[in-house]
Amino acid sequence: MSKNPRVAVCGATGAVGREMLKVLEQREFPASEVVPFASARSKGKKLPFRGGELTVQELTHDCFEGFDVALFSAGGSTSETYAPSAAKLGCTVVDNSSAWRMNPECPLVVPEVNPHDLKWHKGIIANPNCSTIQMVVALQPIHLEARIKRVVVSTYQAVSGSGQKAINELETQVRRLFNGQEVVPEAYPHQIAFNCLPQIDVFLEDGYTKEEMKMVNETIKIMGDPNIKVTATTVRVPVFYGHSESVNIETESKLTADDCRALLATSPGIEVVDYPEKQAYPMALDATGLDEVFVGRIREDHTVENGLNLWVVSDNIRKGAALNAVQIAETLLEMDLMRVER
Amino acid sequence: MSKNPRVAVCGATGAVGREMLKVLEQREFPASEVVPFASARSKGKKLPFRGGELTVQELTHDCFEGFDVALFSAGGSTSETYAPSAAKLGCTVVDNSSAWRMNPECPLVVPEVNPHDLKWHKGIIANPNCSTIQMVVALQPIHLEARIKRVVVSTYQAVSGSGQKAINELETQVRRLFNGQEVVPEAYPHQIAFNCLPQIDVFLEDGYTKEEMKMVNETIKIMGDPNIKVTATTVRVPVFYGHSESVNIETESKLTADDCRALLATSPGIEVVDYPEKQAYPMALDATGLDEVFVGRIREDHTVENGLNLWVVSDNIRKGAALNAVQIAETLLEMDLMRVER
């Protein structure tokens, strides 16, 4: 690598796109230039960056000329349309949509778990689903130590996972309810304020949602072990930022709660918060704006031979999306896998 | 039974006590008289009942003279103090606190599950924990059909489970946050507004909370089968009324999702709401003020030989507390187990 890369951020005006710019700045990503792209509608909009402003450019098939890496967070169909154009121009894509995740030509990467998969990328790298990312960061050290056989996970997911529209919807609904006004759901099929919705994404044939099957299939692809069985129930809760997960794990060999705690405390990307005597455990509110995957409520589950219960929390917009994408770009640089020499 | 029973409601001014009065009225419980009792502080307070008003009397050791049944919802220590006095005077106690639940002298009853246990009562009958009640109503038909081996449950519990103070706290916190004011948690150790707290009740030695162990132990006592293994993670969410539960079940024999749906649809106290094509599933908001345990998201879990996932929702103040207590009183009457002849 002879020069600093030029970085395109596509879908820059959305909740994740804006966070990508923030993360690039905060982590001092060694970019020679960062350019925000979005649909024609947002062209000319100004976004803050490194004390100044960036002007949003229109996303086109040719716009990636001269760029080394493009961070996409513009939805599945936009990504399907433009990511191949970027890749063809030698600009490596890190895509946050679900479009490329299960494509066998595309690595699906969480840098703490499977950085080695970046080696076989062909121009498009997929960023996993938010609820999957934080779970596999916690699962991987346990799997390496004790082999995970089965995971039963129930999620408590924040509205920010559905974008800015849903953030506004929760706020508006609460405000209207407190003023005695009627609530009309738009971002979700039902009222989210003071309610729990056991549906994230659309339903599939067998009664599971797409989100639930993402957690099943993406976990296997990222962790690289088809023997890990996952069953999931994904639920939207009236929280703005931070996904929480109740994770029940069955392992092949024994891992005590103390061993698990010690193991996770020294594992990458994890902060253990597990002090029942101080009523300290991970919470969505505390995780907001931070980078770590927080793990607590670590308990042995004696209903199986080798069982564990965990409570896993992370900022879904950061580690669950923007941060993980930037970390992938950083890892590409470190491993010299970004095509910056041309 | 020669006459209609006289009913005492103890702790009548609390969230559950008030609901007990409402349920007695709505179900036209055949009481000759209903008298609300509370601590000296609330003496003389008026509570609405059957179009008129009842005057709160002071709870004393002698106040149960001439009463046939006392519905207690006044906290554990009050119950420990006064329930034996009531029972000694021939007034059968149905107690909503945790004080008597695991006492081998006291039946722990959910009328849809184990009405037969009322036969051996000695004057004090315990009303189970709210999150346990709604779960066992859903589990019992499945257990009778396919033998349940193991349950992994994660809860999404409403603040009303912690009483009126917590209801006020969620409302106050939201109002203050929306006005840019500081939030100081009182009812809970941390802010509940727009947050999830993975702690309900106090922590025990092994890292589980009391609430989690209630779900483990009470389930076994109610369902009368020590072979049912339960592991629980109980979580408070910013919802006013209605507990939701993600329940993963492993059975001895196979029960398909369709069979489970058909079975539960004809089981007592249950309403199946499971129409993914219409985005219809149980929700806390819809369950508020209703009597049923709502079950949906019924899916086969293929990570074990015979597995099922369910989403179970009920009004924690009604079926989870007041309604179940009144139903116990009704069942005592029907089974002629209330000492109304004196």
Side-chain angles (χ1 to χ4, degrees), chain B residues 127-316:
Chain B
N127 205 41
N129 174 48
C130 47
S131 44
T132 310
I133 292 179
Q134 67 182 66
M135 183 171 76
V136 296
V137 168
L139 292 184
Q140 177 75 352
I142 296 172
H143 186 54
L144 294 180
E145 185 72 22
R147 310 301 307 163
I148 292 176
K149 287 158 61 177
R150 181 179 182 235
V151 175
V152 180
V153 57
S154 298
T155 69
Y156 303 66
Q157 297 183 228
V159 295
S160 52
S162 317
Q164 194 58 50
K165 197 187 158 193
I167 297 173
N168 298 344
E169 175 137 322
L170 173 55
E171 187 179 334
T172 303
Q173 286 185 354
V174 170
R175 213 176 279 284
R176 291 185 65 87
L177 287 168
F178 273 40
N179 285 290
Q181 295 169 306
E182 205 194 340
V183 160
V184 182
E186 290 177 18
Y188 297 114
H190 308 281
Q191 178 183 318
I192 180 64
F194 310 115
N195 200 13
C196 293
L197 307 186
Q199 179 193 356
I200 297 184
D201 211 327
V202 298
F203 282 101
L204 304 170
E205 281 286 300
D206 57 358
Y208 285 90
T209 60
K210 259 197 178 174
E211 182 84 356
E212 285 157 357
M213 294 317 293
K214 285 175 194 170
M215 294 194 80
V216 172
N217 297 320
E218 294 183 18
T219 297
I220 289 171
K221 181 166 176 178
I222 299 163
M223 295 180 65
D225 187 340
N227 297 314
I228 301 173
K229 291 172 180 165
V230 178
T231 185
T233 298
T234 57
V235 181
R236 191 73 67 188
V237 294
V239 166
F240 284 107
Y241 296 96
H243 287 354
S244 304
E245 297 176 347
S246 169
V247 186
N248 179 273
I249 302 168
E250 194 177 344
T251 56
E252 240 168 68
S253 56
K254 182 78 192 168
L255 196 63
T256 66
D258 283 341
D259 288 346
C260 180
R261 221 170 273 122
L263 174 70
L264 295 180
T266 56
S267 297
I270 295 177
E271 186 174 330
V272 172
V273 183
D274 197 10
Y275 310 101
E277 68 284 4
K278 291 192 270 186
Q279 304 189 94
Y281 28 73
M283 292 188 295
L285 214 60
D286 289 344
T288 306
L290 300 181
D291 291 349
E292 292 81 2
V293 172
F294 298 91
V295 185
R297 302 290 334 270
I298 301 170
R299 293 152 288 160
E300 280 158 53
D301 166 13
H302 298 294
T303 67
V304 285
E305 203 183 336
N306 303 312
L308 287 166
N309 280 310
L310 310 180
W311 178 252
V312 180
V313 178
S314 195
D315 185 330
N316 53 301

Side-chain angles (χ1 to χ4, degrees), chain A residues 152-315:
Chain A
V152 180
V153 56
S154 298
T155 69
Y156 304 66
Q157 296 184 229
V159 295
S160 52
S162 318
Q164 193 59 49
K165 197 187 159 191
I167 297 172
N168 297 344
E169 176 137 321
L170 173 55
E171 188 178 334
T172 303
Q173 286 186 354
V174 169
R175 213 176 278 284
R176 291 185 67 88
L177 288 167
F178 273 40
N179 285 292
Q181 296 170 306
E182 204 194 341
V183 159
V184 181
E186 289 177 19
Y188 297 114
H190 309 280
Q191 179 183 318
I192 181 63
F194 310 115
N195 200 15
C196 293
L197 306 186
Q199 178 193 355
I200 297 184
D201 212 327
V202 298
F203 282 101
L204 304 170
E205 280 286 301
D206 57 358
Y208 285 90
T209 60
K210 258 196 180 175
E211 182 84 356
E212 285 158 357
M213 294 317 293
K214 285 175 194 169
M215 294 194 79
V216 172
N217 298 320
E218 294 184 17
T219 298
I220 288 171
K221 181 166 176 179
I222 300 163
M223 295 180 65
D225 188 340
N227 298 314
I228 300 173
K229 291 171 180 166
V230 178
T231 185
T233 298
T234 57
V235 181
R236 191 74 66 189
V237 294
V239 165
F240 285 106
Y241 296 96
H243 287 355
S244 304
E245 296 176 347
S246 171
V247 186
N248 179 273
I249 302 167
E250 195 178 344
T251 55
E252 239 168 69
S253 57
K254 182 77 189 167
L255 196 63
T256 67
D258 283 341
D259 288 347
C260 180
R261 221 169 274 123
L263 174 69
L264 295 180
T266 56
S267 297
I270 295 176
E271 186 173 331
V272 172
V273 183
D274 197 11
Y275 309 100
E277 68 284 4
K278 291 192 270 185
Q279 306 189 91
Y281 29 71
M283 291 188 296
L285 215 59
D286 290 345
T288 306
L290 300 182
D291 291 349
E292 291 81 4
V293 172
F294 298 90
V295 185
R297 301 292 333 270
I298 301 170
R299 293 151 288 159
E300 279 159 51
D301 166 14
H302 298 294
T303 68
V304 285
E305 203 183 336
N306 302 313
L308 286 166
N309 281 309
L310 310 181
W311 179 251
V312 180
V313 178
S314 195
D315 185 329

